[in-house]
Amino acid sequence: MSVIRDSVSTSAPDPESVYTRASPDSLGRIGYDLLLNALAECGREEFTGALRAAGSPGGTFHLRRGLVVGAESPGAPGPEALLLRSRRISGEEWAELVREAGGARWPGAELIRHGYAGAAQLRVVCMMALRDAVFAVVAGRVDACERDPRAEPLAPVPVGEGPIRLLQDANRKLAALAALPHPVRPNRERPSPGSAPVAVSDGRLTPVQQELLDQADGRRTARDLAFRTGRGVYTVTVEVARMLGAGLLECAEGAAPLPVVRVPEEGLRQRRPPAPPPPPPPPYVDPAVVTALAAVLASDAQALPRRASPPRAPAPALPRREPGASGITESLAPEKRGTSWKGFFRMRNGTAK
Amino acid sequence: MDHNALAMEMRDLREKVDGITDTAIAATDGLLIAADTAASIDPESLAAIAAAGLGLARRAAQATGRGTLRRTVTYGSQGCAAFYAVGDTALMVVLGDEGVDLDRLHRATQPALRRIGSILSATDPAVATEGV
């Protein structure tokens, strides 16, 4: 495990400075020094804002006066995913809370008010998500770090933590993972169910193991399984490593199978843009009308008996509903209101007219 | 058409961007061409839905004077589905979970769409009509 240094350059950095350097290290991390230096600088300068770490999976650290109050990464489920995927709250209920919170991305107060989580529970979930995101960033590749003073954290924790301390925690986790007999990386191996029928049939699997066994299909990494099951990526990665060791899961040798490709026998057809609407037909004038008009003019306004028009074939159309045929209008006659549809208005240039 | 190259493009995209769970390529009429999907997804239905959705979005952009359609993204509480046109003949669907970085997805998809478009439009006399 590499020693965390607190040595950074003494020159005053540009707030929008971009660090661009990447190199592998002893724990398989790429660009870790880059992240360490950038975060240490932020901590020393008591920076407030966000530090974006570009890479795979990369992530964003949110700082207040040099302390990390939030971290997000595509490599680790955030508090929202943890709550939704663990079925603590449904998608519909979440949408309702967001509406109640005036469209806020994180309806923290509403979650507590409606009893979905206690205040302390929610703080724990947010802190776990923060640490998990830091672990995901450290375990991956960091290509560059860039500050963004304007970015706001999604679900900040009330008391921030020192960035170096957080990195040390992530490094300890990485070292613990590397020490396991079957170490895995959060976004590398794609395990599938193995051949350990004894443990499965005896029901000796823990709920987490059973869930991972159900979801592992040879396509999903530990990171994917963490999102799928609503658990922390570190927890899932450790469990996957243990299950690989126990033979409950196994990783296929060589490259993953390629997708299936099928080509239509008739080949691909080019999309045709919608045909322009046909021009309106010229106004139809019945020849009988023309004849009648001519006769009228010729006879100097002498009255003519009206000729019955020839019967036309009924047009093949859908049956038309007769308004009021069901009688519902009479039985549910609306009360007369003071206002009418005339109250409807259209916004023009931002004002009602 | 180089089936292997097409399959590699789809797999590379899933491995390159964290959070991509499934991809599929279909003709504009909804006929499935290639699928890199989990067992829980019916790729034929996905292709048909994607064709209908993209067509509707294209008409909506046209009718409302929004210019050329770039993409359609459907957001759900557990992820998103992005639909991209591949030239005039095909489309690509990319499904992602809650963690997918959409900006990164769009950046990674653009060069892939160009390559997939040229793979689909390539005329190879030794084309087989079944899988790789």
Side-chain angles (χ1 to χ4, degrees):
Chain A
M1 186 171 147
S2 65
V3 178
I4 295 178
R5 292 174 287 111
D6 198 12
S7 60
V8 289
S9 64
T10 52
S11 59
D14 177 4
E16 300 288 335
S17 58
V18 177
Y19 307 81
T20 48
R21 186 166 59 86
S23 58
D25 78 356
S26 58
L27 269 181
R29 302 165 301 189
I30 302 173
Y32 174 71
D33 286 344
L34 205 65
L35 180 68
L36 170 66
N37 291 341
L39 270 175
E41 262 185 27
C42 289
R44 234 194 16 236
E45 292 167 15
E46 299 192 350
F47 172 67
T48 295
L51 180 78
R52 296 189 194 284
S56 176
T60 305
F61 296 79
H62 297 275
L63 297 103
R64 271 188 204 145
R65 291 192 293 278
L67 296 178
V68 179
V69 293
E72 298 144 19
S73 169
E80 179 183 342
L82 291 176
L83 291 173
L84 281 163
R85 288 283 193 171
S86 60
R87 302 187 194 92
R88 186 177 275 269
I89 181 169
S90 71
E92 290 78 17
E93 289 165 336
W94 184 272
E96 185 57 41
L97 293 185
V98 168
R99 272 193 292 274
E100 198 177 314
R105 286 169 64 210
W106 173 248
E110 286 70 21
L111 279 166
I112 298 167
R113 193 183 312 135
H114 289 273
Y116 291 110
Q121 278 179 318
L122 217 52
R123 274 202 298 276
V124 169
V125 169
C126 291
M127 182 44 91
M128 278 168 52
L130 188 161
R131 286 175 176 269
D132 214 32
V134 176
F135 167 75
V137 176
V138 171
R141 192 189 74 235
V142 176
D143 297 329
C145 293
E146 186 180 10
R147 290 187 187 184
D148 181 1
R150 291 176 298 278
E152 286 294 321
L154 175 69
V157 292
V159 181
E161 203 157 345
I164 301 300
R165 197 181 161 88
L166 279 173
L167 290 181
Q168 281 174 332
D169 177 63
N171 283 322
R172 264 196 298 275
K173 288 174 176 171
L174 262 182
L177 253 180
L180 288 172
H182 288 265
V184 291
R185 308 289 295 180
N187 57 356
R188 193 178 57 196
E189 286 82 5
R190 298 175 187 271
S192 51
S195 48
V198 180
V200 177
S201 61
D202 287 359
R204 284 191 276 124
L205 295 177
T206 64
V208 182
Q209 287 177 331
Q210 186 61 58
E211 208 171 358
L212 293 178
L213 206 55
D214 292 342
Q215 298 292 341
D217 61 354
R219 296 169 49 85
R220 296 175 180 139
T221 60
R223 175 250 172 240
D224 297 339
L225 291 169
F227 273 88
R228 194 89 185 161
T229 59
R231 299 178 190 278
V233 72
Y234 173 65
T235 312
V236 170
T237 309
V238 168
E239 199 57 59
V240 165
R242 285 183 184 148
M243 289 171 77
L244 281 168
L248 295 168
L249 293 175
E250 61 187 18
C251 287
E253 297 292 326
L258 287 171
V260 176
V261 177
R262 285 177 289 185
V263 183
E265 286 181 10
E266 65 272 28
L268 295 178
R269 282 174 296 190
Q270 194 156 7
R271 188 181 75 85
R272 290 188 196 133
Y284 174 75
V285 182
D286 194 335
V289 174
V290 177
T291 314
L293 278 173
V296 166
L297 289 172
S299 62
D300 195 17
Q302 191 177 353
L304 279 176
R306 177 179 279 185
R307 288 174 60 184
S309 59
R312 291 187 183 179
L318 290 171
R320 279 179 177 275
R321 192 182 75 84
E322 287 182 25
S326 67
I328 194 74
T329 318
E330 287 75 27
S331 58
L332 291 176
E335 292 177 16
K336 198 174 176 71
R337 293 183 182 175
T339 56
S340 73
W341 60 270
K342 287 178 183 171
F344 178 80
F345 62 88
R346 180 175 288 203
M347 298 294 282
R348 286 201 183 115
N349 298 327
T351 55
K353 287 187 179 175
Chain B
M1 189 175 77
D2 188 342
H3 297 180
N4 208 39
L6 188 61
M8 288 293 281
E9 282 293 342
M10 296 171 74
R11 199 181 67 183
D12 284 354
L13 192 63
R14 185 158 63 87
E15 290 183 350
K16 201 180 288 179
V17 182
D18 288 279
I20 292 183
T21 57
D22 312 86
T23 56
I25 294 172
T28 43
D29 59 3
L31 205 59
L32 182 69
I33 298 170
D36 180 19
T37 53
S40 55
I41 303 262
D42 176 11
E44 307 272 357
S45 302
L46 179 65
I49 291 167
L54 206 58
L56 200 60
R58 192 178 272 123
R59 295 292 299 273
Q62 195 179 31
T64 54
R66 303 298 101 174
T68 307
L69 180 74
R70 290 181 178 167
R71 69 186 80 96
T72 303
V73 184
T74 302
Y75 297 91
S77 62
Q78 296 187 343
C80 64
F83 306 102
Y84 301 89
V86 183
D88 266 355
T89 55
L91 58 91
M92 182 167 75
V93 192
V94 182
L95 306 186
D97 60 25
E98 305 94 314
V100 73
D101 181 346
L102 274 177
D103 288 340
R104 186 161 179 204
L105 169 66
H106 296 326
R107 278 200 307 273
T109 307
Q110 293 314 309
L113 286 174
R114 272 200 303 277
R115 289 191 297 266
I116 289 169
S118 41
I119 292 169
L120 291 177
S121 56
T123 49
D124 182 358
V127 166
T129 54
E130 274 302 322
V132 286

